[in-house]
Amino acid sequence: MIGLIFGLIIGGVAGCIAGAIMKSEGGMIRNIILGVVGGFVGGIAFKLIGFQASNIIGSIITSVVGACLIIFIGRKLFK
């Protein structure tokens, strides 16, 4: 249960940071979803190149990179 709450908090922070970096508009729920999915995508992307997050800062960076990738791909697909 604590891991789920911790993941949502990291997802929210990462989603907000990624939204600010990519100048994306959206609410808090969208940012949380974007950050959580971004953590999954970023984790896969980093594992492919040989990196792994081992602490909270690494998890946030991984989630932000993944969320930015999702925003970028979404913009390319839906424009």
Side-chain angles (χ1 to χ4, degrees):
M1 185 67 171
I2 298 295
L4 177 65
I5 294 169
F6 187 66
L8 291 175
I9 292 170
I10 288 178
V13 170
C16 290
I17 293 170
I21 290 171
M22 300 295 289
K23 297 184 180 24
S24 176
E25 298 175 3
M28 188 58 154
I29 299 297
R30 180 176 177 227
N31 286 339
I32 291 172
I33 293 169
L34 188 64
V36 170
V37 174
F40 180 72
V41 170
I44 291 171
F46 279 144
K47 282 183 185 177
L48 288 175
I49 59 174
F51 294 117
Q52 184 175 359
S54 61
N55 57 18
I56 190 168
I57 301 298
S59 297
I60 291 173
I61 291 171
T62 300
S63 297
V64 168
V65 170
C68 287
L69 281 171
I70 292 171
I71 293 171
F72 177 76
I73 291 169
R75 286 181 180 168
K76 294 297 179 184
L77 288 175
F78 298 111
K79 268 198 171 182

